[in-house]
Amino acid sequence: MNKILKIVFIVSVFLANVSASAQRTTIKFNKDWKFFLGDDSAATVIKYDDSKWRTLNLPHDWSIEGNFSEKHPTTFNQGALPAGVGWYRKTFSIPLSSKNKSVFINFDGVYRNSEVWINGHYLGKRPNGYISFQYELTPYLKFGNNKNVIAVKVDNSQQPNSRWYTGSGIYRNVWLETGQPIRFKEWGTFERLGTFINSTEVNDSSALVSISSKVLNTSSAIQVDCTIFDPSGKQVGWATQSFRKSDNYSDSIYHLKIRIKKPKLWSLKSPQLYKAVIKAFASEYVIDQQEISFGIRYFNFDAQKGFSLNGKPTKILGVCMHHDLGALGAAVNARAIERQLQILKTMGCNAIRTSHNPPAPELLDLCDKMGFIVMDEAFDMWKKGKNKFDYHFDWNEWHKKDLEDQIKRDRNHPSVFMWSIGNEIREQFDSTGTPITNELVQIVKNLDPTRPVTCALTENNPEKNFIYQSHSLDLLGFNYKLYDYSELPKRFPGEKFIATETASALATRGHYDMPSDSNRLWPPDAKSKNYGNPDYTVSAYDNTFAYWGATHEQSWTAVKKNDFIAGTFVWSGFDFLGEPVPYQWPARSSYYGIVDLAGFPKDVYYMYQSEWTSKPVLHLFPHWNWKVGDSVDVWAYYNNADKVELFLNGKPLGAKTKTGDSLHVWWRVNFEPGTIRAVSKKNGKIVLTKEISTAGVPAKIELIADRKVLKANGEDLSFVTVKITDANGNIVPDADNLVNFKVKGEGEIAGVDNGLQTSTELFRSSFRKAYNGLCLLIIKAKENKGNITVTASSKSLKAASIVLKSF
């Protein structure tokens, strides 16, 4: 058979087995994995007996299930939780109908050093714990009633390998993908909006959308169609292109352009999402199909005016976020991420920095839908490490592949506005930083020339910064050193700037040290240790910060006053596991967050809300349970008002207004039991009133669920706030009662927490001590519909119950 006839024959046989509706199917591959915490190299063998292994569903983080201990080699900087080696195995069947198709397994993220086998065949290794990757299973699969076994080894034993909590295991989702041999390349379709290349391409009347796709294993004639639907589901554009190859089974690249009339622009307040449906045809048959969401928007970073979105000046109001989800650890859960984003959105936050690694895909999906700008960050170190066993060992072999995969995976997300190639990289201080920067920027630009590339720098002297000296960065990001902001345009003429990390201010929710009118550097320098309070708390007044940082007020004011700074990313949005500056063990989670680990806002949350939103804000603190005669500093954050008046038991204590750069007002008050009341006024009219009363002894429990109706999918969550109150319903500010939980029906306990940085109670338990009057219960729905009854009880307190519904 000659070559041409052979090609025709192969294609004919292929098309004979393709139905008119054939396309790829992608299913979650999370259920019923076997897990063993330990190392057994024999687990790669198909007939290995794993019957005694634990059965679980992914995503899974085994570290979060462990006990806290100062003896763990992860150290307090990684949360003082265990790591080690773990194995996962899954036995599954593939239907006969898939025999002539291509089958892939996709891992969204495995921490760390994963190795994968299918039916005893080694597929490969991926050291990076944050990157997504794929293996083809097709050549090694058995079909029909035959069983297949996939085995995954996860080695997180070399410690320490991070500066923060990482988790351990297959902690992100896994997917099984089945499609035709002729198919779109993974992460190969990329909508490039014309506006990113030429801003005149987008206006109120039209926008140009360019689509580039790669089709694998093509032969003969392949046609690619793209249909675009607007946010309401209406078809608004279509294009097609045919491609004929003369060689055998080569890849084909398609470029389509579609003009959209009167586009609905993606914005922070109205994140409009279009959908592109892209189909590949062989003859009249659909052989592959992709559906990709995207947004139409244009933006600009300006050296003098900062950032603009869709032509409107916009300050980037961002926070840095690590990937852990508090009591849930690193195990990805879309609802837990959504809750974090909702809390931040209510504060006025509009941007997320993925510190300091590629995020879970679910985070970007939610940012697309909810209207967040994302700084998508790749690395915390390059060739020079920060920890004994971190990624610097893998740099030479893996950095190019890892960065390419991150860009290809994330570049269709409208929420992604900039790429960051690193954080506080040590190579910025010597000449090795220049060629590496050039290389990394070129990798990004080859795959996505539409977004700026930045790097979070610490050295703001251009003569000493070798990353800057590459002159490859589109946007200069600087961490801290706010006192130099005014000098940046002089030192770096013509450059564009963003504050990639600010504040590093510290606080424990609900704890207050007097007096409040002086700043505290904890620690004051790099050498000082054991600095702070004997009980490992930090005052919640915004007056304590690490020596490299500043208060929240100082940090935000510096960004606000300088128009050339595009925006800020505050360190950090939420407390996170690990890095408990200014302390070491027994502290095991951070103090940096605007929101604590359990998701309860600290007082400074309302400072940002008063500055970053237009809705009326009046936040009064601290609590009003003190000793008679104590001198108490009373603070108030407010907006939309001229002044705030304070009253104690009806007696006026005077009116205050913000002066200078201060973003709060305060009074020093001699305590007496009763009620303090704050009244904000504008032009003599009352805007808001807030009261805090002296609480009595703990008397009862109050339960408040953030959601009472859940999806019966085995994943959905309800976060239940548990309050300890007196008989009149006032929260008791120092209550630490042990609360026991019982759950009946179609739900289970996913975790408990109280936000205290030194608590060593297990996150996976049926009880939790309150901290400063609060604790948290996380309920996960099972897969059956029905009621979920939650009961909370504690010695000497009136119990409380709440009923949730799962459907």
Side-chain angles (χ1 to χ4, degrees), residues 17 94-103 138-139 141-144 146 178-181:
N17 289 283
I94 297 290
L96 283 173
S97 58
S98 297
K99 192 168 186 177
N100 295 316
K101 297 181 180 180
S102 297
V103 182
T138 315
L141 288 176
K142 303 173 183 178
F143 298 90
N146 296 307
T178 305
Q180 302 299 335

Side-chain angles (χ1 to χ4, degrees), residues 250-320:
S250 297
D251 300 341
S252 301
I253 299 176
Y254 293 76
H255 300 286
L256 305 174
K257 292 185 177 181
I258 300 173
R259 178 74 64 177
I260 306 297
K261 296 181 179 179
K262 296 182 179 180
K264 299 176 182 178
L265 299 183
W266 187 98
S267 68
L268 297 170
K269 293 184 178 179
S270 182
Q272 301 282 349
L273 293 176
Y274 284 73
K275 181 174 70 174
V277 179
I278 309 160
K279 297 179 180 180
F281 293 84
S283 186
E284 74 274 20
Y285 298 105
V286 178
I287 56 174
D288 199 5
Q289 176 175 317
Q290 290 183 321
E291 294 186 5
I292 300 175
S293 294
F294 67 98
I296 299 175
R297 82 281 191 275
Y298 62 100
F299 62 94
N300 183 54
F301 288 91
D302 184 86
Q304 287 80 41
K305 299 179 181 179
F307 178 74
S308 64
L309 175 58
N310 301 329
K312 299 178 181 179
T314 304
K315 207 75 166 180
I316 295 174
L317 311 174
V319 298
C320 301

Side-chain angles (χ1 to χ4, degrees), residues 28 112 194 208 441 466 495 570 647 707 791:
K28 274 189 176 179
R112 185 178 187 271
L208 183 66
V441 172
F466 290 87
E495 297 288 355
V570 180
F647 301 85
R707 297 159 77 240
T791 302

